[in-house]
Amino acid sequence: MNTKNICVLVSGGGTNLQALIDAEKRGELGSGKITCVIASKTDAYALERARTNGIKTRILIRKEYSDIASYSKAMRDILFEEKADLIVYAGFMTILDENVCDAFPNKMINVHPALIPSFCGKGFYGLHVHEAALTKGVKVSGATVHFVTAECDAGPIILQKAVEVKNGDTPETLQKRIMENAEWKILPKAVQLFCDGKITVKDGVTIIKE
Ligand code: GAR
């Protein structure tokens, strides 16, 4: 199978990027190769992780664009330049519009730190997601990997993994448990399934050939 170029979009610490890098080193991304990491901020620690591992980095600063449409077009052009076969949002905190989503249908995936359709959509990102889960008092949360569409967190679901909420959890402890037990496992797995051609989408629902 031909190598698939994976572009990873990041905004922060990049622990999910690290999980992908580690999976690739173990030979667990199928035909996928992380060829470029694109950050929305110059100080994203994820860039350090990419550089340490010899992966090309690019920076597209959100604040330098007046609106989301112009930012999305610039991102689309970079992704074309990089010949991206798969785009992974790994803690990427900007919602790109249809200029990108329509150019890469069912070729962009995102990891979200809750069980969609709970605690998702605009405003639900990072620790806010876990704060909302604790405020509601859910006993189970988790993570979801899904295809990205122009509607935030609404694209076809690929994989989900549940994680227990424990007494005394803070947003930080819950985030850590969900990252370690769910996100860092299902994100590389979803990338592997994609690169192995095992995901199809029909009527907004994915079918996974295991
Ligand atoms: C992760 O928990 C990811 O699921 C979340 O931000 C964190 C990034 O951590 N993403 C979102 O909330 C997107 N809606 P990382 O930079 O260490 O991978």
Side-chain angles (χ1 to χ4, degrees), residues 60-62 64-77 96-97 99-100:
L60 191 66
I61 299 171
R62 173 65 187 92
E64 288 181 354
Y65 292 81
S66 58
D67 55 28
I68 199 66
S70 55
Y71 185 75
S72 295
K73 281 183 187 156
M75 181 65 83
R76 180 195 60 195
D77 293 347
L96 299 172
D97 71 10
N99 284 302
V100 180

Side-chain angles (χ1 to χ4, degrees), residues 9-18 46 49 89-95 110-114 119-121 123-130 142-144 146 152-153 175 178-179 183-184 187:
L9 274 47
V10 297
S11 300
T15 63
N16 280 289
L17 169 66
Q18 190 67 53
R49 297 179 190 270
Y89 288 39
F92 184 66
M93 298 306 185
T94 300
I95 301 168
N110 175 47
V111 60
H112 182 74
F119 311 117
C120 65
F124 286 95
Y125 60 90
L127 281 173
H128 298 297
V129 177
H130 307 297
T144 302
H146 63 94
C152 180
D153 294 335
Q175 178 184 55
I178 289 175
M179 282 179 154
E183 296 187 46
W184 301 346
L187 182 60

Side-chain angles (χ1 to χ4, degrees), residues 110 112 116-117 120-121 146-157 204-205:
N110 175 47
H112 182 74
I116 289 174
C120 65
H146 63 94
F147 282 116
V148 176
T149 58
E151 194 184 339
C152 180
D153 294 335
I157 291 169
V205 173

Side-chain angles (χ1 to χ4, degrees), residues 169-194:
D169 260 340
T170 62
E172 289 79 9
T173 60
L174 182 57
Q175 178 184 55
K176 182 167 182 284
R177 191 175 316 110
I178 289 175
M179 282 179 154
E180 290 173 355
N181 295 289
E183 296 187 46
W184 301 346
K185 294 193 162 92
I186 64 173
L187 182 60
K189 179 72 189 167
V191 169
Q192 183 184 43
L193 289 166
F194 178 95

